[in-house]
């Protein structure tokens, strides 16, 4: 049976680390979409101000073809899939994680504000509906514990949930 799962969330929520653990536990293949966007030139331009690539979603979908497994990226919820797992993290912790890995203060703050405003979650719910979105908070949790929840979600051992995490206090 083909399963197409997107693992998404604001940069810094733990998607890459968690996706590897989930792959080990489930045997599902993982596509690290941001790497592929860069390596396969699946972008329309480089945004110099943000130091990022502007993804070409049509080119990405064409490159993926009839895929199955997990696609991991802060953009993966823009793709057609069966389910979306959205990783969340308190904006203060998220900002610290991003600064620790070398992001500028402005970029870290922009992502923290995006997280506080539920931007990725809202986009995922708009695309998939609440019946196919699993929101998982990664704040103060180990990657292994988060991976346990992701596996439970994709194996049907957890009910879909969206809107349970609230970081509006950050603003």
């Amino acid at each position: 049976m083909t399963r197409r799962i997107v693992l998404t969330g604001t940069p810094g929520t733990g998607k890459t680390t968690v996706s590897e653990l989930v792959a080990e536990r489930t045997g599902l293949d993982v596509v690290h979409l941001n790497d592929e966007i860069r390596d396969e030139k699946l972008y329309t331009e480089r945004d110099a101000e943000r130091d990022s690539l502007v993804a070409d979603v049509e080119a990405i979908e064409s490159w993926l073809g009839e895929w199955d497994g997990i696609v991991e990226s802060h953009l993966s919820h823009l793709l057609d899939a069966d389910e979306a797992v959205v990783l969340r993290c308190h904006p203060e912790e998220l900002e610290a994680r991003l600064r620790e890995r070398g992001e500028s203060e402005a970029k870290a703050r922009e992502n923290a504000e995006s997280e506080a405003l539920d931007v990725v979650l809202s986009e995922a719910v708009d695309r998939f509906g609440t019946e196919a979105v699993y929101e998982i908070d990664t704040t103060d949790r180990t990657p292994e514990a988060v991976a346990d929840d992701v596996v439970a979600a994709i194996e049907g051992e957890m009910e879909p949930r969206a809107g349970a995490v609230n970081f509006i206090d950050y603003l």
Side-chain angles (χ1 to χ4, degrees):
M1 178 177 142
T2 300
R3 301 261 335 260
R4 298 176 311 153
I5 301 152
V6 293
L7 180 62
T8 191
T10 305
T13 54
K15 297 174 299 297
T16 302
T17 301
V18 168
S19 69
E20 289 300 321
L21 294 169
V22 171
E24 288 173 13
R25 295 177 189 183
T26 63
L28 293 170
D29 292 328
V30 175
V31 173
H32 299 290
L33 189 57
N34 294 351
D35 294 342
E36 300 302 338
I37 289 170
R38 183 187 59 250
D39 296 347
E40 299 294 327
K41 298 183 178 24
L42 302 171
Y43 55 90
T44 57
E45 63 182 294
R46 178 176 294 278
D47 182 336
E49 185 177 320
R50 284 198 166 102
D51 188 30
S52 63
L53 301 173
V54 178
D56 182 339
V57 176
E58 285 184 20
I60 292 166
E61 288 176 333
S62 177
W63 180 82
L64 281 170
E66 293 297 318
W67 65 278
D68 69 342
I70 300 169
V71 175
E72 168 273 316
S73 167
H74 67 290
L75 302 170
S76 63
H77 62 280
L78 302 176
L79 305 173
D80 288 333
D82 302 311
E83 299 164 311
V85 177
V86 181
L87 299 187
R88 305 293 309 278
C89 182
H90 191 280
E92 289 175 359
E93 183 173 327
L94 183 82
E95 195 169 350
R97 288 179 186 181
L98 292 171
R99 293 291 291 143
E100 194 174 286
R101 72 182 198 195
E103 297 293 351
S104 70
E105 186 175 328
K107 193 168 190 174
R109 188 176 313 110
E110 178 184 5
N111 281 299
E113 289 172 1
S114 174
E115 182 68 355
L117 293 170
D118 301 336
V119 171
V120 173
L121 176 67
S122 295
E123 291 174 352
V125 169
D126 283 349
R127 183 163 183 96
F128 297 99
T130 55
E131 64 279 353
V133 173
Y134 299 85
E135 178 184 31
I136 298 172
D137 191 355
T138 68
T139 309
D140 295 327
R141 299 182 65 209
T142 65
E144 292 77 15
V146 174
D148 289 343
D149 282 354
V150 174
V151 170
I154 64 178
E155 291 185 349
E157 297 168 4
M158 173 190 290
E159 292 295 316
R161 62 179 177 220
V165 178
N166 183 340
F167 298 131
I168 202 72
D169 63 308
Y170 173 80
L171 298 175

